[in-house]
Amino acid sequence: MLYGFHKVGDDLIGENTLKNFAENNVKTDLIGQCEESGSGVVSITVDKEGQNSFISMKGANAWLQPVDVEQSFEAISSAKIVLTEMEIDAETTLSALQVAKRRGYTTILNPSPGMCFLAEEFYRLSDIICLNGAEAERLTDSSVSGISEAKKTALVLLEKGSKNVIITLGKNGTVLASLKDKIPIHFPVTPVDPVDTTGAGDCFLGSLAFYLAHFPDLPLEEMIKRSNKIAAISVQSCGTQLSYPWKRDLPAELFS
């Protein structure tokens, strides 16, 4: 079961968001409506090569507080994976990671939108930190222009306290650095002709969380390979959520 945890405004965008989640089997019990602010929005542009850029505004998500985290986790007894990001206040994200670790859940942090600093506790509380090359550059003040640079940067992030660091590199695949084996691994992807890369990272993260929850005995390396394949499918269609494939439309071997 998938729960969303954030806030939307008491507006048309908020109403449509709740309706969309409900129609797609995302539990909305923990999503609050906020009168103090409108819903958060993202303005996205896509160039002729399918590459995207965006500006995001937190909106109602800025009103999500640590006390909301405590109350929401009390309502969930069957969670396995907690996937967090930084489009809410950092204090609230940190609180979610703290509570999740106390309860024994697997934690994933996606430090997006990109930032130049992340407190040490974020790394320590995250079983997996997953970010793209640009986000990795900002956090380490280093260049991630290719696979070799990504491997070096992943090790820098690993030294900050996380157990596993995944850097997604678009058409160049993915790099993993892990405490259990500090030799970074590169996972290439089959080339595709992208139509719209918006949301590809989120598709990868959602797929990874799915495998962690439903196929926990798979090696992390295999989860990454499969998540890469699903994300590659998503960039061949327009939109974000609209581009994400249904399980029924994916190859059966991804679920064996």
Side-chain angles (χ1 to χ4, degrees):
M1 187 172 293
L2 179 62
Y3 282 86
F5 174 57
H6 60 97
K7 283 184 184 274
V8 297
D10 187 12
D11 51 29
L12 184 60
I13 293 175
E15 293 291 346
N16 287 341
T17 298
L18 293 172
K19 180 181 178 183
N20 176 51
F21 283 172
E23 290 175 348
N24 287 282
N25 299 319
V26 177
K27 298 285 287 183
T28 60
D29 310 49
L30 308 182
I31 301 176
Q33 281 192 286
C34 173
E35 296 182 354
E36 293 85 354
S37 176
S39 297
V41 294
V42 181
S43 177
I44 304 169
T45 59
V46 181
D47 66 21
K48 62 182 180 181
E49 295 180 350
Q51 302 304 308
N52 74 88
S53 59
F54 65 88
I55 298 173
S56 65
M57 291 160 280
K58 290 182 180 179
N61 279 323
W63 293 85
L64 198 65
Q65 301 298 313
V67 65
D68 299 315
V69 174
E70 295 283 355
Q71 294 171 352
S72 295
F73 273 86
E74 287 297 327
I76 304 174
S77 59
S78 58
K80 296 179 181 178
I81 314 296
V82 173
L83 171 57
T84 63
E85 43 78 75
M86 304 302 289
E87 289 188 82
I88 57 179
D89 285 351
E91 183 182 3
T92 305
T93 297
L94 184 59
S95 178
L97 291 170
Q98 290 168 336
V99 176
K101 291 310 293 181
R102 286 203 304 267
R103 291 172 174 260
Y105 305 152
T106 298
T107 54
I108 307 172
L109 173 63
N110 172 220
S112 174
M115 57 196 62
C116 297
F117 174 76
L118 202 58
E120 180 181 323
E121 197 170 4
F122 281 97
Y123 297 98
R124 185 173 56 80
L125 291 170
S126 301
D127 293 307
I128 298 172
I129 286 185
C130 182
L131 66 174
N132 63 30
E135 291 157 355
E137 286 183 336
R138 293 189 187 99
L139 276 178
T140 60
D141 194 26
S142 60
S143 172
V144 184
S145 58
I147 296 166
S148 61
E149 292 92 343
K151 288 181 176 181
K152 293 176 184 177
T153 302
L155 289 174
V156 171
L157 290 168
L158 196 68
E159 290 172 0
K160 292 179 180 289
S162 184
K163 299 177 182 66
N164 301 279
V165 175
I166 299 172
I167 300 179
T168 57
L169 302 167
K171 65 181 180 181
N172 290 322
T174 307
V175 163
L176 166 68
S178 173
L179 276 181
K180 72 175 184 178
D181 182 359
K182 292 188 178 181
I183 301 175
I185 304 170
H186 173 240
F187 301 90
V189 291
T190 302
V192 298
D193 294 321
V195 174
D196 184 353
T197 59
T198 310
D202 292 333
C203 184
F204 177 91
L205 279 158
S207 301
L208 180 63
F210 169 84
Y211 285 117
L212 286 165
H214 296 281
F215 293 85
D217 294 330
L218 275 180
L220 180 58
E221 294 82 356
E222 180 62 24
M223 295 183 190
I224 291 172
K225 291 177 184 178
R226 297 185 186 194
S227 298
N228 271 340
K229 291 179 180 179
I230 297 172
I233 291 171
S234 78
V235 303
Q236 297 176 68
S237 301
C238 290
T240 48
Q241 292 181 43
L242 290 175
S243 72
Y244 299 159
W246 290 95
K247 181 180 178 182
R248 62 175 178 265
D249 297 324
L250 291 169
E253 58 263 26
L254 290 177
F255 307 101
S256 60

